[in-house]
Amino acid sequence: MARISEEIAPRMTGLIITCDSQGKPNIAAFSFLMPVSFEPKYVAFSVSPRRKTFENLREVGEFVLAIPSREMINVVWACGTKSGREVDKFALLGLETEKAETVKPPVLRSMPVQLECKVELFKEFGDHWLVVGRVFKEHVSKLDFQPVLHYSKNVFSTVSERIIAE
Amino acid sequence: MARISEEIAPRMTGLIITCDSQGKPNIAAFSFLMPVSFEPKYVAFSVSPRRKTFENLREVGEFVLAIPSREMINVVWACGTKSGREVDKFALLGLETEKAETVKPPVLRSMPVQLECKVELFKEFGDHWLVVGRVFKEHVSKLDFQPVLHYSKNVFSTVSERIIAE
């Protein structure tokens, strides 16, 4: 039987930054994510309850969604495999942070796209929890970049040339 | 100000097949979609209330998610731009259907991946409605295919070679 991550693949990858009630931040990689609404902007992602991100969202219902570019594939992989319970991923990966404007978790320096979000839905479906967040502030420095697309485990891809449909 | 569809792009494209209370089917293209859970399998997508798919889901809370391959880009584009209110897209695009096993909307013939789903959440967020469906039956004929990735309007892409992270 195929896994759902093989059936719907590859997927856009995002980094989700959260913090616990003490303000200690965590960063992790997700590819079960999508836009939901244009105006106001909403995004959704799905998180396993085993992840530190889940724990943090229960304490502080706010997050930053950062969209990494192709050069950051190894950062994405490290963010997806190392647990924030055991290691400070920001220090390990040399990720510098800055105070966000509308949410408690920090934003990263020099990412093409970052969205500050507050959780409006946090609900269990099967082995994951669905998170829907409303975007309160966005930081966009670049839109024309090669994204990180995820298949499963350490297998990634990026895009080919653009194709115009007729 | 950038659109959310430019900020999170490109996205995996899926075709959603629904039907009204009379059983009349519709097919439409979506790229605000993602997996939610592995076991049991759940998927989510986001739909504008102006679309026929929305009307159908209010009448019959079931759908089929079909994942198209790169050769179907023009079908995807037509499914995303023509309204099922005005035209029978199945006939127009030469899409043959078969009875599904667990849901009222039909499945297509010869698609690589199709998931029969029943809606468990249907909730408004901003200008769209979030739909979460549990997968009750899956049809997988092929996993190693080039998917259709969507930017916006008629701009699509597919994937480059696979990249192994370290």
Side-chain angles (χ1 to χ4, degrees), chain A residues 2 7 36 41 46 138 156 163, chain B residues 2 7 36 41 46 138 163:
Chain A
E7 294 168 340
V36 171
K41 288 181 182 175
S46 177
E138 55 192 284
F156 293 87
I163 302 165
Chain B
E7 293 168 341
V36 171
K41 288 180 183 176
S46 177
E138 56 192 284
I163 303 164

Side-chain angles (χ1 to χ4, degrees), chain B residues 2-61:
Chain B
R3 286 158 65 89
I4 195 91
S5 55
E6 299 174 298
E7 293 168 341
I8 302 177
R11 298 165 304 280
M12 273 292 296
T13 303
L15 299 173
I16 301 279
I17 305 159
T18 54
C19 68
D20 65 17
S21 56
Q22 306 302 306
K24 190 187 169 199
N26 183 56
I27 183 166
F30 290 82
S31 69
F32 288 11
L33 75 90
M34 66 178 188
V36 171
S37 163
F38 287 98
E39 185 50 45
K41 288 180 183 176
Y42 279 88
V43 298
F45 69 100
S46 177
V47 59
S48 161
R50 292 174 303 188
R51 294 181 79 167
K52 181 67 179 162
T53 298
F54 175 83
E55 279 176 30
N56 281 357
L57 287 173
R58 281 172 80 129
E59 293 185 16
V60 178

Side-chain angles (χ1 to χ4, degrees), chain B:
Chain B
M1 176 94 69
R3 286 158 65 89
I4 195 91
S5 55
E6 299 174 298
E7 293 168 341
I8 302 177
R11 298 165 304 280
M12 273 292 296
T13 303
L15 299 173
I16 301 279
I17 305 159
T18 54
C19 68
D20 65 17
S21 56
Q22 306 302 306
K24 190 187 169 199
N26 183 56
I27 183 166
F30 290 82
S31 69
F32 288 11
L33 75 90
M34 66 178 188
V36 171
S37 163
F38 287 98
E39 185 50 45
K41 288 180 183 176
Y42 279 88
V43 298
F45 69 100
S46 177
V47 59
S48 161
R50 292 174 303 188
R51 294 181 79 167
K52 181 67 179 162
T53 298
F54 175 83
E55 279 176 30
N56 281 357
L57 287 173
R58 281 172 80 129
E59 293 185 16
V60 178
E62 300 180 345
F63 63 91
V64 172
L65 168 60
I67 307 294
S69 60
R70 189 245 174 278
E71 298 74 34
M72 295 181 69
I73 278 185
N74 292 339
V75 170
V76 170
W77 176 234
C79 282
T81 48
K82 299 197 188 294
S83 173
R85 292 191 195 90
E86 288 142 28
V87 64
D88 177 344
K89 288 187 263 189
F90 297 95
L92 180 75
L93 300 167
L95 298 171
E96 290 182 80
T97 59
E98 290 174 354
K99 202 166 162 19
E101 287 184 40
T102 64
V103 298
K104 294 186 193 77
V107 294
L108 296 176
R109 285 200 182 192
S110 53
M111 292 289 292
V113 171
Q114 291 189 95
L115 307 174
E116 299 183 10
C117 303
K118 298 188 185 186
V119 175
E120 292 201 5
L121 181 84
F122 191 42
K123 191 170 163 53
E124 188 174 19
F125 289 97
D127 51 29
H128 275 57
W129 284 61
L130 179 66
V131 184
V132 180
R134 180 168 169 178
V135 179
F136 279 85
K137 172 75 190 172
E138 56 192 284
H139 309 267
V140 179
S141 64
K142 196 177 178 186
L143 285 174
D144 184 24
F145 61 94
Q146 291 265 310
V148 178
L149 302 174
H150 190 224
Y151 283 95
S152 62
K153 299 207 175 67
N154 64 341
V155 182
F156 293 87
S157 186
T158 188
V159 293
S160 69
E161 79 289 0
R162 299 197 179 192
I163 303 164
I164 307 300
E166 282 162 20

Side-chain angles (χ1 to χ4, degrees), chain A residues 7-70:
Chain A
E7 294 168 340
I8 304 177
R11 299 164 304 281
M12 274 292 297
T13 302
L15 300 172
I16 300 279
I17 306 159
T18 53
C19 68
D20 65 16
S21 56
Q22 307 302 308
K24 190 187 169 198
N26 183 54
I27 183 166
F30 290 82
S31 70
F32 288 11
L33 75 90
M34 66 177 189
V36 171
S37 164
F38 287 97
E39 185 50 46
K41 288 181 182 175
Y42 278 89
V43 298
F45 70 100
S46 177
V47 59
S48 161
R50 290 175 303 186
R51 293 180 79 166
K52 180 66 180 165
T53 298
F54 176 83
E55 279 177 32
N56 281 356
L57 287 173
R58 281 172 79 129
E59 292 185 17
V60 177
E62 300 180 343
F63 63 92
V64 173
L65 168 60
I67 306 294
S69 59
R70 189 246 174 276

